[in-house]
Amino acid sequence: MLQVNGISVHVEDHGSGKPVLLLHGWPDSAYLWRNQIPFLVNNGFHAIAPDLRGFGRSDRPEGVGAYSLQNAVCDVVSILDRFGIDAADIVGHDWGAAVAWFTATSHPDRVHKLIVLSVPHPLAPGTLRQHEMAWYQLFFQFEGIAEAWLQHDDWALLRELLRGNGDLDRYISDLSRPGSLTAFAELVPREPRAAHAGVTSRAAAGESSDARHLVHKRSLPGRRTHEDVGSLRERTLAL
């Protein structure tokens, strides 16, 4: 475990040579890269794969603000600092891709090469299909309801969301750890277009001509508490 940015982060550290940082998505962990790490090590790379905050064996701090992109980016930079790495190749998938985009935006000197999977550039125009697939972001705004529905009927909703993809048993095991499911729900809505991500950097401030427009001035509403929704959770589960 590494102490970074005020939390403990589990990091898989393998090999030596050119550093490559592997950032997983939701609801994965560093285990996502289990097949890529041996290949990278055998080809002269130093493979570093953290469980991002809220995931796997890493700490799960309380509160939505703990899962802002600003904190995730600070975690990445702190990991590089702890390894004494000036710049690394960074590979990101899903949520890790959003973190990778904003790491490159706010700390371009720390990124040698950027490889992004499944999440386009923050300025890429969205499609109707993308908006349809993102419905769960609104669903996850309702505290307690999202957590209850995901677990209901042996995680039936999660199974449907994932469509049989990924290591489902491992996902359920990770999500079943105390505090994990709420941490995951608080993280999911933080998309790279959201100003609430709070990336404070030269790029976000407009000092970099290549990336000054990446932070949009709009965000999703905060998660709603039990007081906000009254007995909606109970009424929902009774259906």
Side-chain angles (χ1 to χ4, degrees):
M1 301 287 281
L2 288 182
Q3 296 298 314
V4 299
N5 195 22
I7 63 170
S8 295
V9 174
H10 176 87
V11 179
E12 295 289 338
D13 175 25
H14 301 275
S16 61
K18 186 177 180 181
V20 55
L21 184 63
L22 307 169
L23 306 177
H24 64 83
W26 187 94
D28 283 298
S29 64
Y31 185 73
L32 172 70
W33 308 106
R34 63 194 180 281
N35 296 318
Q36 288 74 28
I37 288 174
F39 177 86
L40 291 168
V41 170
N42 291 336
N43 284 274
F45 285 91
H46 176 194
I48 304 167
D51 287 351
L52 298 177
R53 62 169 54 214
F55 293 89
R57 293 149 287 186
S58 292
D59 280 353
R60 297 176 288 276
E62 295 183 1
V64 176
Y67 299 93
S68 68
L69 272 169
Q70 181 183 23
N71 276 325
V73 169
C74 287
D75 293 347
V76 168
V77 173
S78 295
I79 290 170
L80 295 179
D81 289 343
R82 289 297 303 271
F83 280 99
I85 296 171
D86 292 330
D89 295 342
I90 296 183
V91 182
H93 172 253
D94 189 69
W95 168 246
V99 177
W101 277 122
F102 275 93
T103 300
T105 298
S106 55
H107 300 277
D109 56 317
R110 308 305 299 268
V111 183
H112 181 245
K113 290 183 179 178
L114 179 67
I115 301 94
V116 176
L117 309 173
S118 79
V119 174
H121 188 280
L123 289 183
T127 66
L128 179 59
R129 177 58 175 160
Q130 287 173 322
H131 290 304
E132 290 174 344
M133 293 176 67
W135 68 269
Y136 65 90
Q137 295 175 23
L138 178 59
F139 172 60
F140 272 42
Q141 296 296 324
F142 294 90
E143 184 177 349
I145 295 174
E147 290 89 332
W149 263 37
L150 282 172
Q151 296 176 84
H152 183 62
D153 193 20
D154 190 25
W155 301 85
L157 181 58
L158 179 67
R159 296 174 190 277
E160 182 178 351
L161 281 171
L162 296 176
R163 302 182 181 89
N165 296 322
D167 191 342
L168 187 58
D169 290 338
R170 190 176 187 90
Y171 296 160
I172 292 174
S173 176
D174 283 344
L175 288 169
S176 297
R177 293 173 179 165
S180 291
L181 190 54
T182 296
F184 279 29
E186 290 178 342
L187 179 147
V188 167
R190 302 302 176 199
E191 288 296 295
R193 293 180 181 272
H196 200 69
V199 177
T200 54
S201 65
R202 289 183 299 106
E207 297 179 23
S208 168
S209 59
D210 293 331
R212 63 181 180 273
H213 301 302
L214 288 183
V215 180
H216 288 226
K217 299 296 183 180
R218 57 191 178 92
S219 64
L220 289 167
R223 295 198 77 203
R224 299 196 177 194
T225 65
H226 291 295
E227 290 75 17
D228 294 325
V229 298
S231 60
L232 181 56
R233 174 181 176 181
E234 288 72 21
R235 295 201 305 271
T236 299
L237 294 179
L239 293 177

